[in-house]
Amino acid sequence: MLMSGSEQQGPRGRVAQGERTRAAILRAAVDLASIEGLEGLTIGRLSTELAMSKSGLFAHFGSKEELQLATIEAARAIFIEEVVRPVLESSERGLPRIWELCERWTEYAQRGVFKGGCFFAAASSEFDGRPGPVRDRIAEIMLEWLAALERGVREAQEIGHLDAKADPRQIAFEFNA
């Protein structure tokens, strides 16, 4: 019997193939959720979009909530790669870093990284009044972003780029707004 390349490679090859499949599923899920919302993201809808069996998708996620949470994490990873990491790796501390963060954030939104626009703006609005793990994770990620801005403000204050008496949380809130 002939075996695929991943089967010939042994268990690690199968794991790598599974990871690639999961990553491709999540990229499609992020785009679909950015257009139709996280509530519109179902295993059935995603199976139609990907021409993949429901049972195949179910094996990766197990439930709609697990799919939603994995999609949120995938969107977070994309945001970090597109916005946060490049700034932390290349920009000068203080006000230049804050400006670059805001510029990259704006450019990321304008570039249409997600087919339906800013994933987190839509998801936070969609789940704002609902209890549960999906809403909680979205809120945590939004707070992470505000905390990153606040850290940048504090650095800028330490360096002398911003008034040390100003409230870093308020300034971060205003940058975010």
Side-chain angles (χ1 to χ4, degrees):
M1 167 159 95
L2 294 174
M3 295 178 11
S4 72
S6 64
E7 291 171 327
Q8 291 173 1
Q9 296 171 6
R12 182 65 200 143
R14 284 190 294 275
V15 170
Q17 178 62 36
E19 290 169 359
R20 283 192 300 274
T21 300
R22 183 178 169 89
I25 291 166
L26 287 172
R27 183 60 219 203
V30 167
D31 283 336
L32 188 60
S34 75
I35 296 166
E36 298 181 10
L38 278 167
E39 269 308 310
L41 180 64
T42 64
I43 289 175
R45 176 67 178 92
L46 194 54
S47 75
T48 300
E49 184 76 18
L50 294 170
M52 188 174 178
S53 73
K54 288 181 187 180
S55 62
L57 282 169
F58 193 79
H60 283 278
F61 302 103
S63 72
K64 179 178 179 175
E65 183 174 88
E66 287 180 36
L67 173 61
Q68 290 171 328
L69 290 168
T71 301
I72 291 165
E73 294 307 320
R76 177 183 178 270
I78 292 167
F79 182 82
I80 289 169
E81 285 302 312
E82 293 282 333
V83 177
V84 178
R85 183 160 292 140
V87 172
L88 295 178
E89 291 174 351
S90 70
S91 68
E92 179 185 333
R93 291 179 67 226
L95 206 48
R97 181 169 287 167
I98 295 169
W99 286 128
E100 190 173 343
L101 264 176
C102 292
E103 286 174 9
R104 278 188 135 328
W105 179 35
T106 301
E107 186 225 14
Y108 144 91
Q110 291 172 339
R111 227 178 43 235
V113 172
F114 301 115
K115 289 182 180 178
C118 181
F119 180 92
F120 289 103
S124 62
S125 176
E126 180 182 5
F127 278 82
D128 187 41
R130 301 179 191 190
V134 173
R135 181 241 172 254
D136 293 347
R137 187 61 185 131
I138 293 166
E140 288 168 1
I141 292 169
M142 298 303 284
L143 289 175
E144 285 176 358
W145 171 244
L146 285 171
L149 290 173
E150 188 176 335
R151 275 191 305 278
V153 170
R154 288 184 193 283
E155 285 178 354
Q157 288 174 315
E158 290 168 8
I159 294 170
H161 293 168
L162 292 173
D163 183 351
K165 296 176 195 164
D167 180 3
R169 181 170 284 150
Q170 180 62 35
I171 295 172
F173 173 81
E174 291 176 13
F175 272 121
N176 186 62

